[in-house]
Amino acid sequence: MSELVTGEAVALELRPAKLPSRALAVLIDLIVAVLVYLAVLIGLVTATSSLDDAAQAALSVAAFLLVLVGGPIAVETLSHGRSLGKLAFGLRVVRDDGGPVRFRHALVRGGVGMIEILMTFGVVACIASLVSERGRRLGDVFAGTLVVRERIPVGRAGVAPPPPPELAGRFTELDLSAVPDGLWLAVRQYLTRMHQLQPQVSWSMASRLAADVAARTGAAVPPDLQAQPAAFLAAVVHERQSRQVRQQPRYEGGGEQAVAPVSPPAVAPVSPPAVAPVSEKAPEQPQSRSTGFAPPA
């Protein structure tokens, strides 16, 4: 598969995740968090056995908040919205506009999640996800975030629009071999839906993708196209598609050249021998008649 989040973790396809996959991802995260919490708690009990009960209780509460609340916040912030459970199911937390989550988004999601997931055993989160049109729980609503699927088949990428006519064939010398398939997929997805985005968001995403493509090709974006990164992306994608089309007829042409020399020798030897011997044997009978009339004279 294909990576739909490139550059600075910008998601190009905002396809909301379904409730079952989200629930299983949260379950995996909770299992891991509880195991870590138990390990930390056992270590604290062993290390603080000489303390009184009040101190041990305070340390237990601090460990609970640090591991079960602070841990998911730190993981979402550092991984740009991907925990272990979300990684297993191909999910990611992004902003409503498709941008990467920051610390404040993860903080709000984690704080509200402690109430709607931990304290209510996930009942409130499930009800909110079922009621929401895009499957968002309360933490997503307050944080302005959305859990999306980032594993999308390549066939759903759509057809990229053509570049402006003056840019066609401009990048024929560009080396595109180092650009990974995931980045091509991200560029095509952006080009197919850039008119659905807000102008500022669209320009920002195009600039990030153009910088990624330029870094892979080793050639900077031309100065006259730095203000039009979408046109640069369309021209580069068009050039890649043109190269793929030019490569296919070469194999077909090689097959036609291999078959062409076979047909002429099959036709040439058939026609000449059948006509020549038939037309020259008929005029021999008039010569025998002229010899037959000679003796009576």
Side-chain angles (χ1 to χ4, degrees), residues 161-203:
E166 62 271 13
L167 298 181
R170 180 174 175 179
F171 299 100
T172 54
E173 305 269 336
L174 199 62
D175 183 13
L176 305 178
S177 58
V179 182
D181 293 337
L183 183 55
W184 285 123
L185 178 63
V187 172
R188 288 199 307 270
Q189 287 173 346
Y190 163 75
L191 292 175
T192 55
R193 65 183 298 267
M194 61 181 179
H195 299 292
Q196 303 174 8
L197 303 174
Q198 297 178 359
Q200 184 178 1
V201 176
S202 177
W203 188 89

Short mmCIF file of all heavy atoms in Angstrom, two decimals, residues 161-203:
data_model
loop_
_atom_site.label_atom_id
_atom_site.label_comp_id
_atom_site.label_asym_id
_atom_site.label_seq_id
_atom_site.Cartn_x
_atom_site.Cartn_y
_atom_site.Cartn_z
N PRO A 161 -5.56 15.75 -13.62
CA PRO A 161 -5.83 16.67 -14.72
C PRO A 161 -4.55 17.00 -15.47
O PRO A 161 -3.46 16.99 -14.91
CB PRO A 161 -6.41 17.90 -14.00
CG PRO A 161 -5.86 17.82 -12.62
CD PRO A 161 -5.75 16.37 -12.29
N PRO A 162 -4.65 17.33 -16.75
CA PRO A 162 -3.45 17.65 -17.54
C PRO A 162 -2.88 19.00 -17.13
O PRO A 162 -3.58 19.87 -16.62
CB PRO A 162 -3.98 17.68 -18.98
CG PRO A 162 -5.43 18.00 -18.84
CD PRO A 162 -5.87 17.36 -17.56
N PRO A 163 -1.58 19.21 -17.39
CA PRO A 163 -0.96 20.50 -17.04
C PRO A 163 -1.32 21.55 -18.08
O PRO A 163 -1.90 21.25 -19.13
CB PRO A 163 0.54 20.17 -17.08
CG PRO A 163 0.64 19.08 -18.09
CD PRO A 163 -0.62 18.26 -17.96
N PRO A 164 -0.98 22.79 -17.84
CA PRO A 164 -1.17 23.82 -18.86
C PRO A 164 -0.39 23.48 -20.12
O PRO A 164 0.67 22.86 -20.06
CB PRO A 164 -0.62 25.09 -18.18
CG PRO A 164 -0.76 24.82 -16.71
CD PRO A 164 -0.55 23.35 -16.55
N PRO A 165 -0.89 23.87 -21.29
CA PRO A 165 -0.22 23.48 -22.55
C PRO A 165 1.23 23.94 -22.63
O PRO A 165 2.07 23.24 -23.21
CB PRO A 165 -1.09 24.17 -23.62
CG PRO A 165 -2.42 24.37 -22.97
CD PRO A 165 -2.14 24.61 -21.53
N GLU A 166 1.55 25.09 -22.06
CA GLU A 166 2.93 25.58 -22.18
C GLU A 166 3.92 24.77 -21.34
O GLU A 166 5.13 24.89 -21.53
CB GLU A 166 3.00 27.06 -21.76
CG GLU A 166 2.60 27.31 -20.32
CD GLU A 166 1.11 27.56 -20.15
OE1 GLU A 166 0.36 27.29 -21.12
OE2 GLU A 166 0.72 28.02 -19.07
N LEU A 167 3.41 23.93 -20.41
CA LEU A 167 4.29 23.12 -19.57
C LEU A 167 4.46 21.70 -20.09
O LEU A 167 5.26 20.94 -19.54
CB LEU A 167 3.77 23.07 -18.13
CG LEU A 167 3.70 24.41 -17.38
CD1 LEU A 167 3.20 24.20 -15.97
CD2 LEU A 167 5.07 25.07 -17.36
N ALA A 168 3.69 21.31 -21.08
CA ALA A 168 3.80 19.96 -21.62
C ALA A 168 5.16 19.75 -22.27
O ALA A 168 5.58 20.53 -23.13
CB ALA A 168 2.68 19.70 -22.63
N GLY A 169 5.87 18.72 -21.85
CA GLY A 169 7.18 18.40 -22.40
C GLY A 169 8.30 19.24 -21.85
O GLY A 169 9.43 19.17 -22.36
N ARG A 170 8.06 20.01 -20.82
CA ARG A 170 9.11 20.88 -20.28
C ARG A 170 10.09 20.11 -19.41
O ARG A 170 11.25 20.50 -19.29
CB ARG A 170 8.47 22.02 -19.50
CG ARG A 170 9.47 22.98 -18.88
CD ARG A 170 8.79 24.17 -18.24
NE ARG A 170 9.73 25.03 -17.56
CZ ARG A 170 9.40 26.16 -16.94
NH1 ARG A 170 8.14 26.58 -16.95
NH2 ARG A 170 10.31 26.89 -16.33
N PHE A 171 9.63 19.02 -18.80
CA PHE A 171 10.47 18.29 -17.85
C PHE A 171 10.92 16.94 -18.42
O PHE A 171 10.97 15.94 -17.71
CB PHE A 171 9.71 18.08 -16.54
CG PHE A 171 9.32 19.36 -15.87
CD1 PHE A 171 8.02 19.87 -15.99
CD2 PHE A 171 10.23 20.08 -15.13
CE1 PHE A 171 7.65 21.05 -15.38
CE2 PHE A 171 9.88 21.27 -14.51
CZ PHE A 171 8.59 21.76 -14.64
N THR A 172 11.22 16.91 -19.69
CA THR A 172 11.66 15.66 -20.31
C THR A 172 13.04 15.23 -19.82
O THR A 172 13.37 14.05 -19.86
CB THR A 172 11.71 15.83 -21.84
OG1 THR A 172 12.53 16.98 -22.15
CG2 THR A 172 10.31 16.04 -22.40
N GLU A 173 13.84 16.16 -19.34
CA GLU A 173 15.18 15.82 -18.88
C GLU A 173 15.21 15.51 -17.38
O GLU A 173 16.27 15.19 -16.84
CB GLU A 173 16.12 17.02 -19.15
CG GLU A 173 16.10 17.45 -20.60
CD GLU A 173 17.16 16.76 -21.41
OE1 GLU A 173 18.14 16.33 -20.82
OE2 GLU A 173 16.99 16.66 -22.62
N LEU A 174 14.09 15.57 -16.71
CA LEU A 174 14.05 15.38 -15.26
C LEU A 174 14.15 13.90 -14.91
O LEU A 174 13.52 13.05 -15.55
CB LEU A 174 12.74 15.96 -14.71
CG LEU A 174 12.70 16.27 -13.21
CD1 LEU A 174 13.73 17.33 -12.86
CD2 LEU A 174 11.30 16.74 -12.81
N ASP A 175 14.96 13.59 -13.90
CA ASP A 175 15.14 12.21 -13.45
C ASP A 175 14.06 11.89 -12.41
O ASP A 175 14.07 12.42 -11.30
CB ASP A 175 16.53 12.03 -12.84
CG ASP A 175 16.79 10.59 -12.42
OD1 ASP A 175 16.00 9.71 -12.82
OD2 ASP A 175 17.78 10.35 -11.70
N LEU A 176 13.13 11.02 -12.78
CA LEU A 176 12.01 10.68 -11.91
C LEU A 176 12.15 9.30 -11.29
O LEU A 176 11.22 8.82 -10.65
CB LEU A 176 10.70 10.73 -12.71
CG LEU A 176 10.41 12.04 -13.44
CD1 LEU A 176 9.12 11.92 -14.22
CD2 LEU A 176 10.32 13.19 -12.45
N SER A 177 13.28 8.67 -11.44
CA SER A 177 13.43 7.29 -10.97
C SER A 177 13.48 7.20 -9.45
O SER A 177 13.14 6.15 -8.89
CB SER A 177 14.71 6.68 -11.56
OG SER A 177 15.85 7.45 -11.18
N ALA A 178 13.89 8.25 -8.76
CA ALA A 178 14.01 8.20 -7.30
C ALA A 178 12.73 8.56 -6.58
O ALA A 178 12.68 8.49 -5.34
CB ALA A 178 15.15 9.13 -6.84
N VAL A 179 11.69 8.96 -7.29
CA VAL A 179 10.43 9.33 -6.65
C VAL A 179 9.66 8.05 -6.31
O VAL A 179 9.35 7.26 -7.20
CB VAL A 179 9.59 10.23 -7.56
CG1 VAL A 179 8.29 10.65 -6.87
CG2 VAL A 179 10.39 11.45 -7.97
N PRO A 180 9.33 7.80 -5.04
CA PRO A 180 8.64 6.55 -4.67
C PRO A 180 7.19 6.54 -5.13
O PRO A 180 6.60 7.59 -5.41
CB PRO A 180 8.75 6.53 -3.14
CG PRO A 180 8.86 7.96 -2.75
CD PRO A 180 9.61 8.64 -3.86
N ASP A 181 6.64 5.34 -5.19
CA ASP A 181 5.24 5.20 -5.63
C ASP A 181 4.27 5.87 -4.67
O ASP A 181 3.24 6.40 -5.09
CB ASP A 181 4.89 3.72 -5.77
CG ASP A 181 5.66 3.05 -6.90
OD1 ASP A 181 6.09 3.78 -7.81
OD2 ASP A 181 5.83 1.82 -6.86
N GLY A 182 4.59 5.84 -3.40
CA GLY A 182 3.70 6.49 -2.43
C GLY A 182 3.57 7.98 -2.65
O GLY A 182 2.49 8.55 -2.50
N LEU A 183 4.68 8.62 -3.03
CA LEU A 183 4.63 10.06 -3.31
C LEU A 183 3.86 10.34 -4.59
O LEU A 183 3.11 11.31 -4.68
CB LEU A 183 6.05 10.62 -3.39
CG LEU A 183 6.16 12.13 -3.60
CD1 LEU A 183 5.40 12.89 -2.53
CD2 LEU A 183 7.64 12.55 -3.60
N TRP A 184 4.03 9.49 -5.63
CA TRP A 184 3.23 9.66 -6.85
C TRP A 184 1.75 9.54 -6.55
O TRP A 184 0.93 10.30 -7.07
CB TRP A 184 3.63 8.61 -7.89
CG TRP A 184 4.93 8.85 -8.57
CD1 TRP A 184 5.99 8.00 -8.62
CD2 TRP A 184 5.33 10.01 -9.31
NE1 TRP A 184 7.02 8.56 -9.33
CE2 TRP A 184 6.64 9.79 -9.78
CE3 TRP A 184 4.70 11.20 -9.62
CZ2 TRP A 184 7.33 10.72 -10.54
CZ3 TRP A 184 5.39 12.13 -10.39
CH2 TRP A 184 6.68 11.90 -10.83
N LEU A 185 1.40 8.55 -5.71
CA LEU A 185 0.00 8.37 -5.35
C LEU A 185 -0.54 9.59 -4.62
O LEU A 185 -1.65 10.06 -4.88
CB LEU A 185 -0.15 7.12 -4.49
CG LEU A 185 -1.56 6.82 -3.98
CD1 LEU A 185 -2.51 6.56 -5.14
CD2 LEU A 185 -1.54 5.63 -3.04
N ALA A 186 0.26 10.14 -3.71
CA ALA A 186 -0.17 11.33 -2.98
C ALA A 186 -0.37 12.52 -3.90
O ALA A 186 -1.33 13.27 -3.77
CB ALA A 186 0.85 11.65 -1.89
N VAL A 187 0.53 12.68 -4.87
CA VAL A 187 0.40 13.80 -5.81
C VAL A 187 -0.84 13.64 -6.67
O VAL A 187 -1.59 14.60 -6.89
CB VAL A 187 1.67 13.89 -6.68
CG1 VAL A 187 1.48 14.93 -7.79
CG2 VAL A 187 2.87 14.28 -5.83
N ARG A 188 -1.09 12.42 -7.17
CA ARG A 188 -2.29 12.21 -7.99
C ARG A 188 -3.56 12.46 -7.19
O ARG A 188 -4.53 13.04 -7.70
CB ARG A 188 -2.29 10.78 -8.55
CG ARG A 188 -1.26 10.55 -9.63
CD ARG A 188 -1.60 9.30 -10.43
NE ARG A 188 -1.79 8.14 -9.58
CZ ARG A 188 -0.80 7.32 -9.25
NH1 ARG A 188 0.43 7.54 -9.68
NH2 ARG A 188 -1.03 6.27 -8.47
N GLN A 189 -3.58 12.03 -5.95
CA GLN A 189 -4.77 12.24 -5.12
C GLN A 189 -4.99 13.73 -4.86
O GLN A 189 -6.12 14.20 -4.84
CB GLN A 189 -4.64 11.47 -3.82
CG GLN A 189 -4.81 9.97 -4.01
CD GLN A 189 -4.51 9.22 -2.76
OE1 GLN A 189 -3.94 9.77 -1.82
NE2 GLN A 189 -4.89 7.97 -2.71
N TYR A 190 -3.90 14.44 -4.66
CA TYR A 190 -4.06 15.89 -4.46
C TYR A 190 -4.61 16.55 -5.72
O TYR A 190 -5.53 17.38 -5.66
CB TYR A 190 -2.73 16.52 -4.07
CG TYR A 190 -2.75 18.01 -4.24
CD1 TYR A 190 -3.44 18.83 -3.34
CD2 TYR A 190 -2.13 18.62 -5.34
CE1 TYR A 190 -3.49 20.20 -3.51
CE2 TYR A 190 -2.18 19.99 -5.51
CZ TYR A 190 -2.86 20.77 -4.60
OH TYR A 190 -2.92 22.13 -4.77
N LEU A 191 -4.07 16.19 -6.88
CA LEU A 191 -4.51 16.82 -8.13
C LEU A 191 -5.96 16.51 -8.45
O LEU A 191 -6.66 17.35 -9.05
CB LEU A 191 -3.61 16.35 -9.28
CG LEU A 191 -2.15 16.84 -9.24
CD1 LEU A 191 -1.35 16.21 -10.37
CD2 LEU A 191 -2.08 18.36 -9.31
N THR A 192 -6.44 15.34 -8.05
CA THR A 192 -7.83 14.99 -8.34
C THR A 192 -8.82 15.70 -7.42
O THR A 192 -10.00 15.80 -7.77
CB THR A 192 -8.03 13.48 -8.21
OG1 THR A 192 -7.60 13.04 -6.92
CG2 THR A 192 -7.25 12.74 -9.29
N ARG A 193 -8.38 16.18 -6.29
CA ARG A 193 -9.32 16.82 -5.35
C ARG A 193 -8.86 18.20 -4.89
O ARG A 193 -9.36 18.71 -3.90
CB ARG A 193 -9.55 15.93 -4.13
CG ARG A 193 -8.33 15.72 -3.25
CD ARG A 193 -8.65 14.76 -2.10
NE ARG A 193 -9.67 15.30 -1.24
CZ ARG A 193 -9.40 16.02 -0.15
NH1 ARG A 193 -8.16 16.29 0.19
NH2 ARG A 193 -10.40 16.48 0.59
N MET A 194 -7.93 18.84 -5.61
CA MET A 194 -7.44 20.13 -5.14
C MET A 194 -8.51 21.21 -5.23
O MET A 194 -8.48 22.17 -4.46
CB MET A 194 -6.20 20.53 -5.96
CG MET A 194 -6.45 20.71 -7.43
SD MET A 194 -4.94 21.17 -8.30
CE MET A 194 -5.55 21.26 -9.99
N HIS A 195 -9.47 21.06 -6.15
CA HIS A 195 -10.53 22.07 -6.26
C HIS A 195 -11.56 21.93 -5.15
O HIS A 195 -12.39 22.84 -5.00
CB HIS A 195 -11.21 21.95 -7.62
CG HIS A 195 -10.28 22.18 -8.78
ND1 HIS A 195 -9.71 23.41 -9.05
CD2 HIS A 195 -9.80 21.34 -9.73
CE1 HIS A 195 -8.94 23.32 -10.11
NE2 HIS A 195 -8.98 22.07 -10.55
N GLN A 196 -11.53 20.85 -4.41
CA GLN A 196 -12.45 20.68 -3.30
C GLN A 196 -11.91 21.29 -2.00
O GLN A 196 -12.63 21.35 -1.01
CB GLN A 196 -12.74 19.19 -3.08
CG GLN A 196 -13.28 18.49 -4.30
CD GLN A 196 -13.43 17.01 -4.09
OE1 GLN A 196 -13.26 16.51 -2.98
NE2 GLN A 196 -13.73 16.28 -5.16
N LEU A 197 -10.64 21.69 -2.00
CA LEU A 197 -10.01 22.23 -0.80
C LEU A 197 -10.09 23.75 -0.79
O LEU A 197 -10.30 24.39 -1.82
CB LEU A 197 -8.54 21.79 -0.74
CG LEU A 197 -8.28 20.28 -0.77
CD1 LEU A 197 -6.77 20.03 -0.85
CD2 LEU A 197 -8.87 19.59 0.44
N GLN A 198 -9.89 24.29 0.37
CA GLN A 198 -9.80 25.74 0.48
C GLN A 198 -8.52 26.21 -0.20
O GLN A 198 -7.51 25.50 -0.20
CB GLN A 198 -9.80 26.16 1.95
CG GLN A 198 -11.08 25.80 2.68
CD GLN A 198 -11.04 26.19 4.14
OE1 GLN A 198 -10.04 26.73 4.62
NE2 GLN A 198 -12.12 25.92 4.86
N PRO A 199 -8.54 27.39 -0.82
CA PRO A 199 -7.36 27.84 -1.58
C PRO A 199 -6.07 27.85 -0.77
O PRO A 199 -5.02 27.42 -1.24
CB PRO A 199 -7.76 29.25 -2.03
CG PRO A 199 -9.25 29.24 -2.04
CD PRO A 199 -9.67 28.33 -0.92
N GLN A 200 -6.14 28.31 0.47
CA GLN A 200 -4.93 28.37 1.28
C GLN A 200 -4.41 26.97 1.61
O GLN A 200 -3.21 26.70 1.54
CB GLN A 200 -5.20 29.16 2.57
CG GLN A 200 -3.97 29.35 3.44
CD GLN A 200 -4.28 30.18 4.67
OE1 GLN A 200 -5.42 30.60 4.88
NE2 GLN A 200 -3.27 30.43 5.49
N VAL A 201 -5.34 26.08 1.97
CA VAL A 201 -4.94 24.70 2.27
C VAL A 201 -4.40 24.01 1.03
O VAL A 201 -3.40 23.28 1.08
CB VAL A 201 -6.14 23.93 2.86
CG1 VAL A 201 -5.78 22.46 3.09
CG2 VAL A 201 -6.59 24.57 4.16
N SER A 202 -5.06 24.24 -0.10
CA SER A 202 -4.62 23.62 -1.35
C SER A 202 -3.22 24.08 -1.73
O SER A 202 -2.36 23.26 -2.12
CB SER A 202 -5.61 23.95 -2.47
OG SER A 202 -5.17 23.42 -3.70
N TRP A 203 -2.94 25.37 -1.62
CA TRP A 203 -1.63 25.88 -1.98
C TRP A 203 -0.56 25.34 -1.03
O TRP A 203 0.55 25.00 -1.45
CB TRP A 203 -1.63 27.40 -1.96
CG TRP A 203 -0.37 28.00 -2.49
CD1 TRP A 203 -0.10 28.32 -3.79
CD2 TRP A 203 0.81 28.35 -1.75
NE1 TRP A 203 1.18 28.85 -3.90
CE2 TRP A 203 1.76 28.87 -2.66
CE3 TRP A 203 1.15 28.26 -0.40
CZ2 TRP A 203 3.01 29.31 -2.27
CZ3 TRP A 203 2.41 28.69 0.00
CH2 TRP A 203 3.32 29.21 -0.93
#
